[in-house]
Amino acid sequence: MFEQQTILQVLSQMKVDRQTGLSAAEAAKRLEENGPNAFEEKKPKTMVQMFLAQLRDPMIYILFAAVAISAFLKEFGDASIILAVILLNAIIGVVQESKAEKSLEALKKLSSPMALVRRDGSVIEIPAADLVKGDIVVLEAGRIIPADIRLLSSINLKIEESALTGESVPVEKDADFIARGEVTLGDRLNMAYLSTSVAYGRGEGVVVRTGMDTEIGKIARMISESPDQMTPLQKRLGDLGKVLGILALILCVVLFLVAMLQDRDVMDMLLTAIALAVAAIPEGLPAVVTIVLALGVMRMVKVNTIVRRLPAVETLGSVSVVCSDKTGTLTQNKMTVTKVYTDETLMDVSELNHEKNPLLVEGFVLCTDASIKDDCRLGDPTELALLDMGINLGVIKRELEENAPRFNEQPFDSARKMMTTVHRDRNGKVIAYTKGAMDRIIQKCTHIRINGQDQPITEADKQNIISASKEMAMLALRVLALAIKTDVDTATEDNLTFIGLVGMIDPPRPEAASAVEIFKEAAVTTIMITGDHIDTAFAIAKELGIAEDESQCITGDDLNKMNQEELNQAVPDLRVFARVSPENKVMIVNAFRSHNHIVSMTGDGVNDAPSLKAADIGVAMGITGTDVAKGAADMILTDDNFATIEKAIEEGRNIYNNIRKTVLFLLSSNLGEIITMFVAIIVGLASPLKAIHILWVNLITDSLPGLALGVDTGDPEIMKVAPRDPKESLFANGGLVITLFFGIVIGAITLGAFLYMPITILMQSGQSVTFDAIKLLYKDPIVYTYSQTYAFTVLAISQLFNAMGMRNLHKSIFKFNHFNNRMMLVAFVVGFTLQILVTEVDFLTQVFDTAELSLREWIDLIILSTAPLWFHELFVFIRYLKRK
C-alpha cells in the first residue's frame, strides 16, 4: 500500500523523476497500456430488453397459451383482447421502470476535467482523462484531485474528503507521514483521492492509481456489480403468479378429464378452458399495483420524497432498520460553535454577549481566512463556524476589517498549530489575534484577561482552562483558543494574553431526535454509520438517543479484522459504526439483512453509494447529496430532513396495506369466477361465462375499485405497531380466510344468477327442477344468452359492492366515511354505468353476446349482488363477538 511507503520508494515504483516528471512519449505509452483515467461504463438496457423483461412471468405465459388456442379456434376477438391485455401490462411496466442506472454516469462526471502536471520538466494543464500512473500532479486550493495520489510535498495542505470518508472537516495532509500497517481511508494523511478537493494550501503528488483502480473506481465497480434486490411485494406477487399459473394448468387438465368422462365436444371444452384460465389469472393486478404505487409516489412528493423505483414505496412499509450516515444526514454538515469558555466560565454560546466579551467575539472573527458573502461561503468549516458565531451576535467580518484592516499575519501551519493576524484600527491602535490549539496557545501566554482586566496567568488559571477544554472534548467538541497581543506590529507569538476558548461540532439536526424516538415506538432501529471519529460519533448518537453506551460503538479497524459471519453475529448489539470505509458499510448492511431485517440506508456522499445500492432501500439527500448517491438510491429526500424518512415509512406502510386490500379484493373476485366456472362444468352445465366476460370484469369492473382501494386513507395508528415480517404472506392475518370467504359468496350468487331463468321457467311451467331439464333449456340460445347475461351482471355488480366492504373488515359499512375516498364512489358509479352499457347498447351486446334486461330484472340482480355487503356485516359482527 502506497501510504506505507516512503516518497523515494513510491517514485522508484512509479519509475518517474520528481523534478522533470514523465516525458510526453512515456506518458503516451502508459496511456496506451493502461487506458484513460476514466470509469468503465455499464451498457444500459435497450427498450426491447425492458419490454421482453415484462413478459417473463408465469401468468403471462398462460395468457399467451390462451391467445394461441383462441386463434387456433378462430376466436379472433378473444385472442385480440387477451393479447391487448398482455401488451398493455408490458407497456405500463416499461414506462414506469425507474431503475435507470445513473450512478456510473454521475461518477464519471466527478472526474476533474483538467489537471496540472509536470512533464518534460514543465508544468502543463491536461485533461484529467489523460493522466497516467507516475504523473507528477501540482495541487492548489480549489482544485479537484484528478486521480489517487501519493503526496510528495504538502504546505499547509488540507483536503475536503467528506463525500468520500464522511469526515466533517478538511483533513490536514502530511507528505512525510508513513502508515504503520493498515489504516482507514480517513487516516491516510499522505494520500489524496480522486473527486476530493483542496480546501487550503498547496502540494505535489505522484499518481499511483487511475480510473477503476482508484478508491472512487472501486465504489463504481461495487455499484455496477451489486445485484438488484427484489422487494417483499415483488417476491409475494412473483410467488402468487407461479401459484396461479399452476392452478390454471391444473384446472384445465381437470376440465379435459371431466370433458372426456362427460363425452363433451373437445372444441367447446377448449373455449371453456380458455375462459377458466383467464378466470384464474387476475389480468388487471399488475397494472393496478403499478398504478397504485405510482399514485403513492405522487403522494410521497407531498412529504418531500422523490421515489426513483416504484416497488421501493412498499419496501418502506417493512423497514425495520434505518442505517444513517452521520455527516449531513443526522447532522447539519455545518460546524457550529456550541460552547464558550471565558472569564473563568464555561457557557453555552447562546449566553455569549458581544458587549461583554468584545475581544473574544471580534478576535475569533478577524483571525480567520474564511469569508461569507450572501450565499457564498468560502474557507475552512471551523473558521466559517466562527464567522457564523459572529453573525449571530451582529458582528460582521467585513465591517470589522473596514474599521481595523489586517496589515500583518503569520499563516497557520501544522507545526505551530496556530495562526496570527495583526490589525490597526482608525485610531492607530494595533492588536494581534492568535488562534489555534489550546495546548500550544496556553504555552505562549503570560497573562489572562478576566472580566476586562489583564493579570498574570497562574497554574490555577491554566488548570481551569485545561479542565474546560477537557469538558468540551468529552462532548466531542473541536476546541480552539484565542489570545491577543497589543501595540506590536509584528506577528510574534509570545507573551500573549489568554482570552478564551470555543468548542464546536457538526450538530444534530433538530428534528432528528424526535424521528429516532418515533422509530423506537414503531420498532424500527436507527443505526449510525460514519467515517468520523468514534468519540464524535458516540456523542451525537447519545444526544439523539441512538446509543446509550460506548460498548454499542465499533470502528472500521475492528471491522477490518472481522469476516462477514463474525459481523453478522455481533451486529445485534451495535448501534454506531465509526471510521468506516465504503466496503465496511456494505458489510454492515448485509449483516443486518442476515437477521431478516429490511434495511434502509441513508446518506449523501460518494462513500455511501455502494451501501445505498446494497440496502433494501437506499435514501439519498436531495440538497447536499452527491449525484452518485442520488443515482444509487431508490428514494431521494428533497429537504435533506432525516425526519422525512419517518413520514415516508408511514406512507409506505399505508401503501402496502392498501395494496394488500387490493390484492385480496381482486383474488376473491377471481376465486368467485373460478368457482362459478368450475362448479358449473363439474356438474355438467354449460359455461356460465364467456372469456370476454371474465376479461371485462377483471380489467374494467375490478380495476377501478381496485385502484380506489389502493388510494384509501391511511391508518393513523400505523406507526405504533412493529413493521410486518418481510416473509409475511399477503394472506397472513386472516387474508386467506377473507379471500376464500368472499370468493365463495361471489361464486355462489353468480351461479344462482346463471340458474335463475331456467329454474323460473321450469317452476312456472310446473315441471320438475332437475339438472337434465336445466341442461335442456340451456340449449335454447335465448335462455342461454339471458342466463349468461344474468351471471355476467351479478358477477360485475357484486364486485363493486365487495370493494366497498373491503375498505375495512373491522368496521361496519354503515360507519364508514364514504366521502374520504371519493375515488371509490366514482369507481362504483363508473363500473355500474359501464355494466349497463354492455347489456343495453346494441353494438356492445353483439360484442359481449349479452341480452337487454328489463327494469325488474335489473332490480332483482342488484339485490342479489348486494350479498357481499351483508356477509361483510356478518364478518364484522363475528369479529366483534370474538373480541368480546
Side-chain angles (χ1 to χ4, degrees), residues 206-259:
V206 58
V207 174
V208 293
R209 300 187 194 94
T210 60
M212 296 300 286
D213 294 330
T214 62
E215 292 298 328
I216 293 291
K218 291 176 186 176
I219 293 174
R221 184 172 284 108
M222 289 166 68
I223 294 172
S224 64
E225 292 175 355
S226 176
D228 290 337
Q229 304 290 341
M230 288 184 72
T231 71
L233 181 62
Q234 285 176 316
K235 293 172 185 174
R236 297 289 87 79
L237 292 178
D239 294 342
L240 180 63
K242 292 173 185 175
V243 170
L244 293 176
I246 293 169
L247 176 63
L249 291 174
I250 291 173
L251 290 174
C252 290
V253 170
V254 171
L255 202 63
F256 270 103
L257 292 175
V258 170

Side-chain angles (χ1 to χ4, degrees), residues 224-435:
S224 64
E225 292 175 355
S226 176
D228 290 337
Q229 304 290 341
M230 288 184 72
T231 71
L233 181 62
Q234 285 176 316
K235 293 172 185 174
R236 297 289 87 79
L237 292 178
D239 294 342
L240 180 63
K242 292 173 185 175
V243 170
L244 293 176
I246 293 169
L247 176 63
L249 291 174
I250 291 173
L251 290 174
C252 290
V253 170
V254 171
L255 202 63
F256 270 103
L257 292 175
V258 170
M260 292 174 66
L261 292 173
Q262 295 178 349
D263 198 25
R264 292 196 179 212
D265 182 83
V266 175
M267 293 302 177
D268 286 343
M269 291 317 297
L270 277 173
L271 288 172
T272 305
I274 290 171
L276 201 56
V278 169
I281 296 171
E283 291 82 8
L285 182 60
V288 168
V289 170
T290 300
I291 294 169
V292 167
L293 287 172
L295 292 173
V297 167
M298 292 171 64
R299 289 218 304 272
M300 294 189 81
V301 170
K302 296 177 182 177
V303 292
N304 302 310
T305 305
I306 295 173
V307 177
R308 295 182 59 246
R309 212 165 57 90
L310 286 183
V313 177
E314 67 83 20
T315 310
L316 278 168
S318 57
V319 165
S320 54
V321 172
V322 174
C323 293
S324 177
D325 180 48
K326 178 185 74 68
T327 306
T329 307
L330 288 166
T331 64
Q332 299 174 26
N333 198 19
K334 179 182 176 183
M335 292 296 286
T336 304
V337 175
T338 58
K339 294 285 185 182
V340 177
Y341 176 79
T342 189
D343 294 337
E344 300 183 306
T345 304
L346 180 63
M347 67 182 87
D348 286 334
V349 71
S350 59
E351 300 174 50
L352 185 62
N353 187 299
H354 177 222
E355 292 180 4
K356 185 179 178 183
N357 305 105
L359 283 176
L360 182 131
V361 176
E362 293 175 13
F364 271 123
V365 170
L366 284 170
C367 192
T368 63
D369 290 323
S371 66
I372 299 176
K373 186 177 181 181
D374 298 325
D375 293 330
C376 182
R377 300 170 61 87
L378 299 174
D380 186 281
T382 58
E383 294 196 334
L384 289 169
L386 296 173
L387 297 188
D388 286 331
M389 178 185 73
I391 290 170
N392 291 336
L393 293 168
V395 178
I396 310 300
K397 181 182 179 183
R398 184 180 66 257
E399 295 174 0
L400 289 179
E401 288 183 327
E402 287 175 0
N403 183 59
R406 182 189 303 187
F407 70 90
N408 201 354
E409 66 182 294
Q410 191 169 171
F412 176 88
D413 71 46
S414 55
R416 292 172 19 255
K417 294 196 173 182
M418 63 181 76
M419 69 176 286
T420 298
T421 61
V422 188
H423 303 260
R424 178 182 287 112
D425 66 18
R426 291 172 182 173
N427 299 321
K429 183 181 178 182
V430 175
I431 186 168
Y433 297 102
T434 300
K435 177 196 75 190

Side-chain angles (χ1 to χ4, degrees), residues 689-746:
L689 299 162
K690 295 181 181 296
I692 195 172
H693 295 163
I694 296 170
L695 278 170
W696 173 263
V697 170
N698 287 0
L699 289 171
I700 307 301
T701 315
D702 278 3
S703 295
L704 293 175
L707 284 173
L709 285 172
V711 296
D712 208 5
T713 51
D715 179 359
E717 302 292 310
I718 203 160
M719 286 302 282
K720 294 184 179 178
V721 297
R724 70 181 186 279
D725 187 331
K727 294 182 179 178
E728 178 181 290
S729 166
L730 285 164
F731 300 107
N733 302 316
L736 182 60
V737 173
I738 292 166
T739 303
L740 294 174
F741 182 82
F742 286 100
I744 291 169
V745 169
I746 291 168

Side-chain angles (χ1 to χ4, degrees), residues 35 85 166 177 324 550 611 695 772-773 845:
V85 169
F177 170 81
S324 177
E550 289 185 18
S611 49
L695 278 170
D772 288 336
T845 58

Side-chain angles (χ1 to χ4, degrees), residues 145-162:
I145 307 296
D148 282 4
I149 292 170
R150 169 60 163 92
L151 295 173
L152 303 176
S153 66
S154 55
I155 302 168
N156 299 328
L157 183 64
K158 292 184 179 181
I159 294 181
E160 169 62 63
E161 295 182 340
S162 63

